[in-house]
Amino acid sequence: MKKITVENLVKRFSLKVLAGEDQLQKPITQSRVHRPGLEFVGHFDFFPTERVQILGKKEVNYLHKLSHEERKIRIGNIVHYHPPCFIVTAGEEGLTYLRHHCIEEKIPLLVTRTVETTSEFIPKVDAYLVKELAPEIAIHGVCLNVSGMGILLRGNSGVGKSETAHTLIGRGHRLVADDIVVLKKLSPQTILGTHDKKTKEFLALRSIGLLNVVRMYGRKAFQEETRIALDILLTKWEKDALNNELEQEPQFTEYMGVKIPSIEIQLQPGRDVAGLIEAAANNWYLRQQGYSAAEEFLSRIEADFADQELK
């Protein structure tokens, strides 16, 4: 199971540490946070104890209104479960009692420094945790964002993946990763493509060497990550192997249980592979909008036949 630490959270969101400075290496293994409102009033049937606990104005104001003894009981009931940490989004004023409990139970107590509501803060933390804790694999290939869509280019070594990526960058599209592509499963329907940090911004071209696309072509040539929409396999040209149907049967490649639409493009000298990839990306987009060129063409044929029969 993947995990990050409380310290990662502190650095990512510039949180202030009020207690548990020596406990920041505690692991976080759950990708959603929790607001313990029901737990403060005594309902623990579905308390997700392994999640980061967020205390907003509602929770803090409720605690402030309790008597000393009642507050001690309510907070004690929760810290007893030792969640990874508490994050307070309502400021640190009047939190001496909570700090005391966290020190006693060795639980990090953190406070946001930025001025934002709890409802604004929670989605940011959730998104960060989902991404960081997502199951991931690394594959050999190239990942690009073409016309706003994530594209995976795969194929045998030397087939021309990086050269094709370079051409696409020259046409205004963006590199995400070359050689090693890290795929993260964010949901049962979503695969995110990114780099492995070491190869960030680099593109390796045979006979040329290693290029830094940002240094050469500017920030617009690179993107940190992209949602994978299409998987394209580049293969060597085989005579008579390509078909010319009006519309190809849907093919898919599966990554961590998520099916990604897949097509094969054969390479031949003089063939505009980058243009074909652009066409594939734009055609995929139109299909998502419910449009099919083949269906429109056939409807025209049927309409023409109907007109001929009426004459």
Side-chain angles (χ1 to χ4, degrees):
M1 177 181 292
K2 292 186 63 179
K3 66 181 180 180
I4 60 174
T5 66
V6 174
E7 184 177 22
N8 296 135
L9 212 57
V10 170
K11 292 180 178 178
R12 175 63 179 80
F13 295 97
S14 300
L15 303 173
K16 182 177 181 179
V17 182
L18 293 186
E21 292 88 348
D22 58 343
Q23 299 295 319
L24 297 184
Q25 294 307 311
K26 292 185 69 171
I28 299 173
T29 59
Q30 296 296 310
S31 58
R32 300 288 180 184
V33 301
H34 177 67
R35 294 184 73 173
L38 288 174
E39 289 73 24
F40 276 132
V41 296
H43 295 281
F44 288 88
D45 291 347
F46 303 101
F47 183 32
T49 59
E50 295 180 355
R51 293 187 186 182
V52 171
Q53 304 297 312
I54 305 289
L55 305 182
K57 284 186 177 180
K58 291 181 180 179
E59 292 81 11
V60 172
N61 287 341
Y62 170 76
L63 291 174
H64 285 348
K65 292 177 181 179
L66 297 176
S67 66
H68 174 75
E69 288 302 321
E70 185 66 18
R71 187 188 300 139
K72 183 178 180 180
I73 293 172
R74 299 295 186 187
I75 297 175
N77 287 340
I78 291 181
V79 297
H80 169 74
Y81 288 96
H82 293 92
C85 65
F86 288 99
I87 302 178
V88 179
T89 62
E92 60 182 288
E93 186 177 354
L95 294 181
T96 304
Y97 57 86
L98 184 56
R99 183 172 180 272
H100 171 75
H101 279 279
C102 288
I103 291 175
E104 195 172 71
E105 296 292 337
K106 297 182 179 180
I107 301 172
L109 175 60
L110 316 172
V111 179
T112 56
R113 298 176 187 269
T114 56
V115 180
E116 58 186 338
T117 64
T118 309
S119 58
E120 292 172 334
F121 180 69
I122 286 178
K124 294 179 182 180
V125 181
D126 278 345
Y128 169 74
L129 293 177
V130 166
K131 192 179 299 182
E132 291 299 313
L133 295 172
E136 66 179 47
I137 58 173
I139 67 167
H140 176 66
V142 178
C143 182
L144 300 123
N145 185 281
V146 176
S147 300
M149 284 162 281
I151 304 291
L152 270 180
L153 294 185
R154 295 184 299 108
N156 293 333
S157 181
V159 78
K161 300 183 293 298
S162 298
E163 290 85 349
T164 301
H166 184 257
T167 302
L168 287 166
I169 292 169
R171 295 185 180 187
H173 306 294
R174 296 177 175 180
L175 175 71
V176 176
D178 179 45
D179 190 32
I180 299 175
V181 181
V182 177
L183 300 179
K184 296 189 175 188
K185 181 180 178 180
L186 300 189
S187 77
Q189 298 82 33
T190 306
I191 293 290
L192 188 76
T194 187
H195 52 80
D196 68 346
K197 294 184 174 59
K198 296 189 296 293
T199 60
K200 178 180 178 179
E201 302 174 357
F202 289 133
L203 181 68
L205 297 180
R206 289 174 183 267
S207 303
I208 303 297
L210 204 61
L211 307 181
N212 185 310
V213 298
V214 172
R215 293 294 183 94
M216 293 188 69
Y217 304 113
R219 293 301 315 171
K220 62 179 175 52
F222 176 76
Q223 186 168 312
E224 284 283 344
E225 57 194 28
T226 187
R227 177 176 176 175
I228 303 300
L230 192 60
D231 179 84
I232 297 178
L233 180 65
L234 301 182
T235 60
K236 292 184 178 180
W237 180 272
E238 293 182 18
K239 187 178 180 181
D240 300 325
L242 292 180
N243 45 37
N244 197 33
E245 284 90 353
L246 295 180
E247 192 165 55
Q248 301 297 316
E249 285 293 321
Q251 302 291 328
F252 299 91
T253 304
E254 191 170 300
Y255 297 104
M256 294 177 285
V258 181
K259 291 184 176 180
I260 304 296
S262 178
I263 64 171
E264 178 185 346
I265 295 179
Q266 291 195 3
L267 308 182
Q268 187 183 46
R271 201 168 195 222
D272 183 9
V273 179
L276 291 173
I277 291 172
E278 289 176 319
N282 291 327
N283 192 52
W284 176 89
Y285 176 78
L286 290 174
R287 291 298 300 270
Q288 302 311 298
Q289 306 305 307
Y291 173 78
S292 167
E295 290 177 4
E296 182 179 1
F297 176 74
L298 291 174
S299 68
R300 291 182 186 180
I301 299 296
E302 291 173 359
D304 186 58
F305 279 143
D307 289 343
Q308 294 295 330
E309 290 178 355
L310 291 175
K311 290 180 180 180

